[in-house]
Amino acid sequence: MRIKLAILEKDQRYLERIVSVFSTKYADKFEIYSFTDVAMAMSTLDSARIDVFVASDAFDIDVTAIPKRCGFTYFADSADIDIIRDQRAICKFQKADLIYKQILGIYSEKAGSTSGLKLGDESAKILAFCSAGGGTGSSSMAASAAIYFAGKGQRVLYLNLEKFGSSDDFFTAEGQFDMSDIIFALKSQKTNLPLKLESCVKQDRHGVYFYSRPKVALDMYELTANDTIRLIEETALSGHYDEVILDMDFSLDSDFLRIFRQVHALVWVGDGSEISNGKVQRAYQALSIAEQGNDSPLMNRLCFIYNKFSNKTSRTIEGINFRNVGGAPRYEHASTEQVLEQLSKMEMFDKIL
């Protein structure tokens, strides 16, 4: 089953062009109906059971006549226009994939919990990066792992779940949606979550998929453990990704332990300094106690990466039974992009799983 999309546009050339592009790129997602006459379009909405109706702002649409099951938006000539006649608007002069994602987002809000799109049943590998010590570059290491796997042709989602973290520190792409939209979708019972996730995701030039940081950092505090687990499960089971890289804060409270139990590998990052090693040792001891009696303890999935390692000030940790995946030196006076470029070349990431 495909989404039934109706487009009403006075500009015949633009209409033919957008229909041609959508029919080519998204033939498996859309069944397209095109119109230049408003009366013909409105009469078709109900008879053809149209899912999403997009109309040029040259037409003044009677929205009360649109079936409740049908999503609606205006086409605007400018990217600066978000609302037309109290209805949402999307810019018609932008990349087709951005228009596609916005239309998909409108459909997801009307589709509820059912979906006509078939999602794959393959489960992605979930790798969680965090630091027991803080300030050791676990986010840079997580982003670099995402770039590394993407460079090998894998489909990778980088998912930043830190309260004050930002995917945009490492990845950039066009698109208007962000993590706030994902959080709202998780809280809403009226939104088709898989479709909303697809409509909001962006893809960086490295090939890594990601969600931009929320509009307000406080939005991250709305995420409960149940929300986070649902988000992880939806992305892992969507069939869209081979790996899901989680960039997380670290804690041993019950909610975090529930989330960590969803992962295939828990990757700790430390810099080998005396302070960092001490924190890691204490965290490991606490985790060992917390996991006593668990049939599948997290200890079995725990591995370690040394970052910013210095032969002068860093030492490997002794007396702890976890896998040492590898390490990276400190890159002095290097930009974030330069650090990622160096780290993402390291084959140690293959040793995580």
Side-chain angles (χ1 to χ4, degrees):
M1 178 179 173
R2 294 176 296 170
I3 298 171
K4 292 186 177 182
L5 171 66
I7 302 176
L8 173 63
E9 174 62 61
K10 277 191 173 181
D11 186 337
Q12 185 70 43
R13 293 180 60 185
Y14 177 84
L15 182 62
E16 292 174 355
R17 187 163 65 250
I18 192 68
V19 169
S20 175
V21 171
F22 274 24
S23 298
T24 301
K25 295 188 67 173
Y26 308 111
D28 60 331
K29 298 292 179 72
F30 288 139
E31 179 180 332
I32 303 176
Y33 297 73
S34 59
F35 306 92
T36 56
D37 179 76
V38 65
M40 182 66 71
M42 295 299 289
S43 65
T44 306
L45 295 182
D46 193 44
S47 62
R49 295 186 61 79
I50 298 298
D51 297 306
V52 179
F53 178 33
V54 183
S56 166
D57 59 0
F59 298 95
D60 188 357
I61 303 299
D62 179 8
V63 294
T64 63
I66 298 175
K68 291 184 178 180
R69 63 178 299 278
C70 180
F72 174 70
T73 184
Y74 277 111
F75 258 155
D77 292 336
S78 171
D80 298 327
I81 301 175
D82 297 322
I83 301 293
I84 295 177
R85 304 183 187 99
D86 296 325
Q87 302 297 316
R88 78 171 78 193
I90 59 178
C91 179
K92 63 197 290 186
F93 299 115
Q94 58 179 327
K95 293 180 179 179
D97 60 332
L98 298 180
I99 298 176
Y100 160 72
K101 287 179 180 294
Q102 290 173 279
I103 292 175
L104 199 63
I106 293 169
Y107 174 72
S108 72
E109 294 169 10
K110 286 287 185 179
S113 60
T114 60
S115 172
L117 302 181
K118 295 181 179 179
L119 301 177
D121 56 4
E122 294 182 353
S123 178
K125 298 298 183 183
I126 306 170
L127 315 179
F129 284 73
C130 52
S131 171
T136 57
S138 60
S139 290
S140 296
M141 196 62 70
S144 299
I147 296 173
Y148 174 80
F149 288 120
K152 295 183 66 176
Q154 302 293 302
R155 299 165 300 171
V156 185
L157 174 69
Y158 169 84
L159 185 58
N160 194 307
L161 297 174
E162 295 177 305
K163 290 295 187 288
F164 300 109
S166 173
S167 301
D168 305 83
D169 289 339
F170 309 108
F171 305 109
T172 59
E174 294 183 55
Q176 71 177 84
F177 299 118
D178 56 40
M179 195 64 185
S180 292
D181 297 291
I182 298 300
I183 295 170
F184 178 82
L186 285 164
K187 297 295 183 182
S188 173
Q189 299 301 315
K190 300 179 180 180
T191 300
N192 185 304
L193 184 59
L195 292 181
K196 192 65 176 179
L197 293 175
E198 184 182 350
S199 71
C200 293
V201 77
K202 301 178 181 180
Q203 187 175 24
D204 180 78
R205 64 181 180 85
H206 301 96
V208 176
Y209 293 90
F210 70 101
Y211 298 108
S212 286
R213 62 174 174 263
K215 297 175 180 66
V216 180
L218 283 173
D219 288 350
M220 294 300 295
Y221 282 87
E222 296 294 323
L223 276 178
T224 65
N226 287 337
D227 293 333
T228 302
I229 290 171
R230 184 185 175 202
L231 175 58
I232 293 171
E233 289 177 344
E234 288 285 359
T235 54
L237 297 174
S238 68
H240 296 319
Y241 308 111
D242 299 303
E243 287 93 16
V244 176
I245 307 294
L246 306 180
D247 187 355
M248 299 183 59
D249 297 312
F250 178 73
S251 172
L252 288 179
D253 69 32
S254 59
D255 283 344
F256 273 83
L257 291 178
R258 286 178 58 206
I259 295 169
F260 288 143
R261 290 193 181 99
Q262 307 301 309
V263 309
H264 294 86
L266 178 59
V267 187
W268 281 2
V269 179
D271 61 14
S273 67
E274 182 179 354
I275 293 176
S276 174
N277 288 354
K279 290 181 178 180
V280 170
Q281 288 173 324
R282 291 190 291 276
Y284 183 86
Q285 182 183 36
L287 182 61
S288 300
I289 296 172
E291 288 291 274
Q292 285 181 359
N294 193 295
D295 293 335
S296 180
L298 289 171
M299 321 301 292
N300 296 339
R301 284 168 269 177
L302 183 62
C303 60
F304 195 83
I305 292 178
Y306 289 96
N307 189 31
K308 306 178 184 179
F309 197 87
S310 168
N311 291 330
K312 295 181 180 180
T313 60
S314 303
R315 298 290 184 272
T316 57
I317 303 174
E318 299 180 356
I320 293 184
N321 185 28
F322 52 38
R323 289 187 298 115
N324 180 2
V325 171
R330 179 183 296 275
Y331 298 105
E332 300 288 352
H333 312 298
S335 66
T336 298
E337 185 175 353
Q338 291 170 331
V339 170
L340 294 185
E341 181 181 356
Q342 294 301 316
L343 292 176
S344 62
K345 296 176 181 178
M346 296 187 172
E347 297 182 354
M348 65 180 176
F349 296 118
D350 283 326
K351 301 177 183 178
I352 293 175
L353 291 172

